[in-house]
């Protein structure tokens, strides 16, 4: 769950050891990464891949990327020439202050003789300990700052903020922590079909129905309060709510936190069945059979007229004349030819 044996990697003595033994003069390590990871692996007698997957937030940052993007990110983090680091890794430092669990502090001292910073406690939007299911405590140390030799036991612990406690907070923390232990390899490239399928599976949305944006935002707010969104830095404008983007196939994909919040909402939200169904204003749409009957009647009348006038008409203008062109172009498989 963290940098148990490597927790003093960024301490002042370790920085000197890197400089004197390995000749490393850069001190670009941050709280969410390991800086020059190959040099760290050489120092501790392990592999760079092991450090990347088991001691950084990389598994979380790349959990929902394609195979191509994931492989590119691995090359970038391992320092391959011409490769760039994954942008999500730098964004993970924007989690405010570093957070700890009091019970984990006691467990770490009992097991290791010292405390260390847990990765799972310092993920974006994570304010619960997934193991002990309690609210975390904040500290006076900023996560975005350069790492120092200060360990959790040496910090002044702050009380949990009121905004941290939200109905979906614990479920989000558990789902976030689970990503850290995923097997090395590409992430799950989620699309709109994943969330639509999950909504249908949970009974929140009828199969083939459109999603109601007001109902979606109401369900989202019931899981994640406004104070929680502010603390997690995922606020949105009512006119441009990002939660609705996951249901649009051509929308830009959300970051890991946004995707996990949507999944947590759909899995843990418990409103009435069909809650997310879009309710169209005005008269209801006719059924497929009613549309077929109407088109068949109009088509037979037009065909009789054309026959009596000995005129010929191509298919496209024929469908336009009877008003069936849109239904035919959008739902060919659902209408009898």
């Amino acid at each position: 769950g963290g940098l148990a044996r490597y927790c003093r990697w960024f301490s002042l003595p370790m920085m000197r050891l890197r400089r004197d033994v390995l000749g490393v003069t850069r001190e670009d390590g941050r709280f969410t990464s390991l800086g020059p990871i190959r040099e760290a692996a050489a120092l501790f007698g392990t592999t760079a891949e092991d450090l990347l997957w088991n001691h950084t937030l990389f598994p979380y940052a790349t959990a929902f990327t394609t195979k191509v993007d994931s492989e590119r990110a691995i090359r970038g983090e391992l320092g391959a020439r011409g490769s760039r680091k994954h942008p999500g890794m730098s964004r993970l430092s924007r989690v405010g202050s570093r957070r700890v669990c009091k019970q984990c502090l006691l467990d770490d001292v009992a097991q290791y003789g010292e405390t260390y910073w847990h990765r799972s406690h310092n993920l974006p939007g994570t304010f619960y300990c997934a193991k002990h299911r309690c609210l975390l405590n904040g500290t006076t140390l900023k996560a975005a700052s350069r790492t120092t030799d200060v360990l959790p036991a040496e910090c002044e612990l702050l009380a949990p903020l009121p905004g941290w406690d939200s109905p979906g907070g614990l479920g989000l923390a558990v789902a976030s922590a689970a990503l850290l232990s995923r097997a090395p390899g590409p992430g799950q490239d989620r699309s709109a079909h994943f969330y639509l399928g999950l909504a249908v599976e949970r009974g929140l949305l009828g199969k083939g129905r459109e999603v109601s944006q007001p109902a979606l935002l109401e369900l989202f707010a019931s899981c994640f309060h406004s104070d929680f969104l502010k603390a997690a830095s995922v606020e949105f404008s009512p006119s441009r709510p990002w939660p609705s983007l996951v249901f649009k196939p051509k929308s830009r994909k959300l970051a890991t936190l946004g995707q996990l919040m949507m999944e947590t909402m759909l899995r843990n939200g418990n409103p009435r069945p069909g809650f997310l169904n879009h309710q169209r204003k005005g008269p209801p749409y006719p059924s497929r059979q009613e549309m077929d009957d109407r088109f068949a009647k109009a088509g037979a009348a037009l065909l009789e007229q054309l026959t009596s006038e000995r005129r010929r008409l191509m298919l496209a203008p024929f469908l336009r004349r009877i008003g069936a062109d849109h239904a035919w172009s959008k739902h060919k498989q659902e209408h009898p030819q």
Side-chain angles (χ1 to χ4, degrees), residues 132-154:
H132 297 105
R133 297 178 175 264
C134 61
L135 280 171
L136 299 172
N137 289 84
T139 66
T140 56
L141 291 178
K142 298 296 182 182
S145 62
R146 299 280 179 182
T147 29
T148 68
D149 59 343
V150 179
L151 297 178
E154 302 166 341

Side-chain angles (χ1 to χ4, degrees), residues 2 29 31 55 89 98 112 127 165 206 212 268 285:
F31 183 57
H55 301 284
M89 290 292 285
R98 304 184 195 181
Y112 301 111
F127 304 116
D165 187 13
S212 168
N268 298 334
Y285 287 112

Side-chain angles (χ1 to χ4, degrees), residues 33-34 71 100 126 130 167-168 181 218 251 263 270 273 276 278 285 302-303 314 321 328 330 334:
S33 65
L34 278 171
E71 291 175 349
V100 297
T126 296
S181 58
E218 181 180 343
S251 296
E263 181 183 3
N270 193 29
L276 293 180
H278 173 66
Y285 287 112
L302 179 58
L303 194 59
M314 300 299 289
R321 289 277 293 273
W328 175 252
K330 299 294 184 182
E334 301 176 35

Side-chain angles (χ1 to χ4, degrees), residues 148-190:
T148 68
D149 59 343
V150 179
L151 297 178
E154 302 166 341
C155 292
E156 176 187 354
L157 300 186
L158 306 177
L161 297 177
W164 291 5
D165 187 13
S166 198
L170 178 57
L172 176 63
V174 172
S176 299
L179 294 183
L180 294 175
S181 58
R182 71 182 183 91
Q188 180 186 14
D189 185 21
R190 291 182 174 178

Side-chain angles (χ1 to χ4, degrees), residues 196-197 199-201 203-210 277:
L196 288 171
V200 172
E201 177 188 327
L204 301 173
L205 183 70
K207 190 173 183 179
R209 295 292 299 272
E210 295 182 6
N277 289 339

Side-chain angles (χ1 to χ4, degrees), residues 211-224 229 236-245 247 262 265 275-276:
V211 177
S212 168
Q213 182 167 303
L216 176 65
L217 297 183
E218 181 180 343
L219 179 60
F220 190 82
S222 69
C223 286
F224 301 106
L229 299 181
F236 56 85
S237 168
S239 60
R240 301 190 66 181
W242 58 259
S244 62
L245 297 180
F247 295 102
M262 292 302 299
M265 175 201 70
F275 181 78
L276 293 180

Side-chain angles (χ1 to χ4, degrees), residues 12 28 31 34 73-74 105 109 118 125 161 173 181 184 212 257 274 283 285 301-302 315 317 319-320 326:
L12 185 57
D28 56 352
F31 183 57
L34 278 171
I74 291 175
L105 292 181
V109 171
H118 286 244
L161 297 177
S181 58
S212 168
L257 174 59
Y285 287 112
L302 179 58
L315 177 61
L319 291 174
R320 283 197 297 270
H326 178 76

